């Protein structure tokens, strides 16, 4: 048996099995932690091998069972396998960080199990070739992330009541989104008679070419903007994010902002450019408008925040707008720029949320106005936050500069002059609020110890600092050597605009 043939199912099945095993090992916490780290590293290695296979040999199709397009089919193209690598890398670092950050009882009982379910849901979402199974994996993501948001951290400053309130908002809005997705999926099946995305593409295109496209297909396509927009927290569906990301433990905030909201962007790319490509003329102007409003609202709201994690949450709202702006423009260059932006933001924002955990541990508060002068007492956190802030602000020589440069260049070449002007204006806002945050926390006089208490003298462990340093190094590498990422993103964009190889692989190629 060639194990490489089974990589698409292994990166989903192993975390599911580990989820059950972690519950059984809760009485052996040391072994539980060690095994989970080893397996997470193994999943990252397998995801990299899968991406290299797809790059060298083409799209990989894996049939679960023997029912072909009528059953569960996993499809690993460059977009899906690339997203699996991104999520596996960030999840491994977030898990290592969690070992010293999450409170022991919470960590040993439910945290490991729910974290593995989250990884399985992410990998399944990125690799499924069936739109109903995407819905199933969305539900796994929702339930596991709700449990992780309420996990307790060591020396936590967040009230349990705040966690429960944020989780309730998150749960309700996502349940509504799930209901709408189920309605959209059921309507598609009733109209076209299939749930396989490649088969949907063929049949909807045939209807369009024959001039018999039912009007409600366009309505279904619009429903998916609500579904995926809710996952990505774009306007006007962003209200859950500024409550959930600050109250979640910092490693989970990193997962939510670094990977989870990118699921919405992935869904738009996968569904619209494969299934609804004949309706893009209607959808793209809507996506651009929503993206611009999202950029503006997130940036303006971030300026007024005094809670460091809430500022980073609103920043994520604004930054995901830039990703959707590239998607809305829809050219090959713009799509590639959007993917470059997505990757750079995922890494930089994950690093910032992990760094914020170290800052909160050191200061004992999330309120930036109760900090100050920490550049002396927490020099590593100061440096790491500055690197992340520079990247999000789009300053050289970091990855965020390359991301903004290629996105604005794509907009200018596509003659989207007003969107690029608006995007550039709010990029200035980003520079302001990110550097204002750094100055409030790290510069100036040390805070009044009599009023707010002294800073913690307890140093951060390597399990907290090493993941942050690795992500900071990645941000720097993507700034000075961005060519591989740009090349990969360009190839993914070409595959999105020409889905025929994907369709051939699923419907006409060799399937295990």
């Amino acid at each position: 048996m060639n194990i490489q043939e089974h990589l698409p199912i292994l990166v989903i099945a192993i975390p599911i099995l580990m989820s059950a095993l972690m519950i059984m090992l809760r009485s052996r916490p040391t072994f539980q932690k060690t095994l989970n780290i080893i397996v997470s590293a193994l999943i990252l290695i397998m995801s990299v091998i899968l991406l290299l296979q797809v790059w060298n040999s083409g799209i990989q199709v894996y049939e679960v069972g023997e029912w072909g397009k009528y059953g569960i089919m996993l499809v690993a193209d460059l977009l899906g396998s690339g997203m699996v690598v991104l999520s596996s890398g960030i999840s491994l670092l977030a898990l290592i960080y969690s070992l010293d950050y999450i409170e022991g009882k919470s960590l040993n009982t439910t945290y490991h199990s729910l974290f593995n379910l989250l990884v399985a849901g992410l990998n399944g979402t990125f690799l499924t070739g069936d739109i109903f199974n995407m819905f199933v994996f969305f539900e796994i993501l929702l339930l596991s992330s709700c449990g992780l948001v309420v996990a307790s951290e060591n020396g936590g400053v967040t009230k349990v009541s705040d966690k429960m309130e944020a989780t309730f908002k998150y749960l309700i809005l996502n349940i509504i989104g799930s209901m709408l997705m189920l309605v959209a999926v059921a309507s598609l099946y009733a109209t076209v008679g299939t749930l396989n995305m490649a088969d949907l593409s063929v049949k909807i295109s045939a209807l369009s070419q024959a001039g018999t496209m039912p009007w409600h297909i366009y309505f279904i396509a619009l429903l998916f903007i609500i579904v995926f927009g809710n996952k990505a927290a774009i306007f006007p569906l962003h209200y859950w994010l500024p409550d959930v990301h600050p109250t979640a433990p910092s490693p989970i905030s990193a997962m939510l902002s670094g990977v989870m909201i990118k699921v919405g962007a992935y869904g738009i790319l996968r569904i619209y450019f494969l299934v609804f490509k004949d309706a893009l003329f209607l959808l793209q102007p809507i996506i651009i408008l929503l993206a611009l409003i999202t950029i503006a609202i997130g940036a303006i709201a971030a300026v007024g925040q005094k809670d460091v994690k809430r500022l980073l949450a609103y920043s994520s709202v604004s930054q995901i707008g830039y990703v959707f702006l590239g998607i809305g423009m829809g050219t090959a260059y713009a799509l590639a720029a959007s993917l470059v932006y997505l990757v750079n933001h995922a890494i930089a924002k994950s690093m910032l949320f992990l760094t914020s955990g170290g800052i909160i541990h050191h200061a004992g508060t999330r309120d930036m106005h109760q900090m100050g002068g920490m550049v002396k007492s927490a020099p590593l956190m100061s440096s790491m936050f500055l690197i992340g802030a520079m990247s999000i602000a789009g300053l050289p020589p970091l990855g965020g500069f390359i991301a903004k440069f290629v996105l604005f260049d794509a907009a200018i070449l596509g003659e989207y002059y007003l969107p690029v002007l608006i995007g550039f204006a709010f990029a200035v806002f980003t520079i302001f609020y990110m550097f204002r945050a750094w100055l409030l926390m790290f510069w100036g006089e040390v805070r009044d110890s009599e009023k707010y208490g002294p800073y913690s003298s307890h140093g951060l462990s390597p399990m907290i600092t090493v993941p942050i340093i690795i992500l900071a190094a990645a941000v720097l590498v993507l700034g000075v050597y961005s060519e591989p990422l740009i090349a990969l993103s360009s190839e993914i964009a070409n595959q999105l605009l020409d889905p025929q190889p994907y369709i051939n692989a699923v419907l006409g190629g060799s399937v295990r």
Side-chain angles (χ1 to χ4, degrees):
M1 181 183 71
N2 185 0
I3 195 170
Q4 292 187 4
E5 295 179 359
H6 302 277
L7 289 178
I9 188 65
L10 288 176
V11 296
I12 301 170
I14 290 176
I16 292 175
L17 293 174
M18 283 294 295
S19 178
L21 185 59
M22 289 296 104
I23 290 291
M24 292 186 281
L25 291 174
R26 63 186 182 274
S27 60
R28 301 178 63 187
T30 303
F31 180 65
Q32 182 190 49
K33 294 174 184 177
T34 304
L35 180 62
N36 204 13
I37 292 296
I38 292 172
V39 172
S40 295
L42 180 63
I43 291 172
L44 174 59
I45 293 169
M46 289 192 294
S47 67
V48 172
I49 294 172
L50 178 61
L51 176 60
L52 293 174
Q53 278 185 190
V54 174
W55 180 264
N56 294 321
S57 305
I59 297 170
Q60 308 287 307
V61 180
Y62 190 93
E63 182 184 336
V64 183
E66 303 296 335
W67 299 284
K69 68 182 183 182
Y70 303 106
I72 299 174
M73 187 171 286
L74 304 176
V75 185
D77 64 348
L78 286 176
L79 175 62
S81 56
M83 292 297 292
V84 170
V85 171
L86 180 66
S87 68
S88 298
I90 291 175
S91 63
L92 172 60
L93 295 174
L95 180 61
I96 294 170
Y97 186 100
S98 301
L99 299 185
D100 193 50
Y101 192 84
I102 301 298
E103 186 267 328
K105 183 178 180 182
S106 179
L107 184 69
N108 299 334
T109 51
T110 59
Y111 188 87
H112 285 293
S113 182
L114 290 172
F115 196 93
N116 277 283
L117 279 180
L118 182 70
V119 172
L122 286 167
N123 292 347
T125 299
F126 297 142
L127 294 177
T128 184
D130 181 283
I131 200 167
F132 180 75
N133 289 317
M134 181 180 283
F135 166 79
V136 173
F137 285 120
F138 274 12
E139 296 310 291
I140 294 174
L141 285 176
L142 172 61
L143 295 176
S144 58
S145 59
C146 282
L148 291 167
V149 167
V150 298
S152 301
E153 58 265 57
N154 288 319
V157 299
T158 305
K159 297 178 182 177
V160 175
S161 59
D162 291 340
K163 287 177 176 284
M164 296 304 294
E165 179 186 348
T167 305
F168 182 75
K169 293 177 183 177
Y170 177 58
L171 186 62
I172 294 300
L173 285 172
N174 277 273
I175 285 175
I176 295 171
S178 296
M179 291 170 60
L180 290 176
M181 185 174 185
L182 197 57
V183 168
V185 169
S187 300
L188 269 181
Y189 185 75
T191 304
V192 187
T194 183
L195 294 172
N196 182 282
M197 288 188 280
D199 203 24
L200 280 168
S201 178
V202 170
K203 291 183 176 179
I204 290 176
S205 291
L207 289 173
S208 178
Q209 291 169 11
T212 57
M213 177 92 83
W215 68 268
H216 64 269
I217 289 289
Y218 297 105
F219 180 73
I220 294 170
L222 291 172
L223 273 183
F224 277 107
I225 288 185
I226 299 175
V227 171
F228 296 127
N230 185 51
K231 294 293 181 186
I234 65 169
F235 174 86
L237 305 164
H238 65 286
Y239 293 104
W240 61 269
L241 188 147
D243 285 336
V244 173
H245 288 206
T247 55
S250 290
I252 301 307
S253 300
M255 288 294 294
L256 291 172
S257 192
V259 184
M260 283 281 286
I261 63 173
K262 309 305 187 296
V263 168
Y266 169 84
I268 292 284
L269 288 168
R270 175 65 75 210
I271 300 298
Y272 282 1
F273 287 88
L274 177 62
V275 177
F276 295 117
K277 57 184 182 293
D278 295 293
L280 281 174
F281 70 94
L282 171 67
L283 302 171
Q284 284 176 311
I286 298 173
I287 293 174
I288 290 174
L289 176 62
L290 294 177
L292 292 174
I293 298 173
T294 302
I295 290 169
I297 286 180
I300 292 170
V303 169
Q305 301 305 313
K306 63 178 183 177
D307 181 326
V308 59
K309 290 185 72 175
R310 198 170 182 86
L311 177 142
L312 294 176
Y314 273 114
S315 172
S316 291
V317 173
S318 181
Q319 298 303 304
I320 199 68
Y322 287 98
V323 175
F324 273 77
L325 180 60
I327 295 172
M329 290 186 287
T331 64
Y333 189 16
L335 290 175
S338 177
L339 291 165
V340 171
Y341 206 106
L342 183 152
V343 172
N344 277 285
H345 178 261
I347 295 172
K349 191 53 67 70
S350 296
M351 185 195 74
L352 282 169
F353 269 113
L354 294 183
T355 304
S356 73
I359 293 168
I360 294 165
H361 173 83
H362 184 66
T365 180
R366 299 200 316 244
D367 190 338
M368 294 183 290
H369 292 288
Q370 296 180 19
M371 304 180 195
M374 286 198 297
V375 70
K376 297 177 181 178
S377 58
L380 178 63
M381 292 299 102
S382 171
S383 301
M384 296 299 99
F385 194 92
L386 183 60
I387 291 173
M390 288 177 63
S391 184
I392 294 297
L395 298 179
L398 302 173
F401 169 74
I402 300 297
K404 278 191 168 63
F405 179 85
V406 293
L407 182 64
F408 291 158
D409 190 38
I412 292 170
L413 290 176
E415 299 183 352
Y416 290 95
Y417 299 120
L418 181 59
V420 77
L421 184 62
I422 295 171
F424 185 80
F426 285 102
V428 176
F429 275 63
T430 307
I431 295 173
F432 172 76
Y433 67 69
M434 292 306 300
F435 281 93
R436 172 180 168 271
W438 187 87
L439 289 170
L440 283 172
M441 292 186 292
F442 297 104
W443 206 245
E445 297 294 326
V446 177
R447 72 181 182 187
D448 186 347
S449 60
E450 292 185 2
K451 186 175 181 181
Y452 300 116
Y455 289 130
S456 172
S457 59
H458 178 65
L460 299 174
S461 76
M463 285 186 290
I464 287 180
T465 57
V466 169
I468 297 172
I469 293 170
I470 291 173
L471 288 169
V475 168
L476 182 59
V477 169
L478 289 175
V480 298
Y481 187 56
S482 57
E483 287 82 357
L485 176 59
I486 293 174
L488 176 61
S489 299
S490 298
E491 188 60 33
I492 293 172
N494 291 331
Q495 285 190 359
L496 287 170
L497 293 174
D498 179 20
Q500 197 58 48
Y502 182 101
I503 294 168
N504 291 341
V506 174
L507 301 181
S510 58
V511 180
R512 177 190 163 276

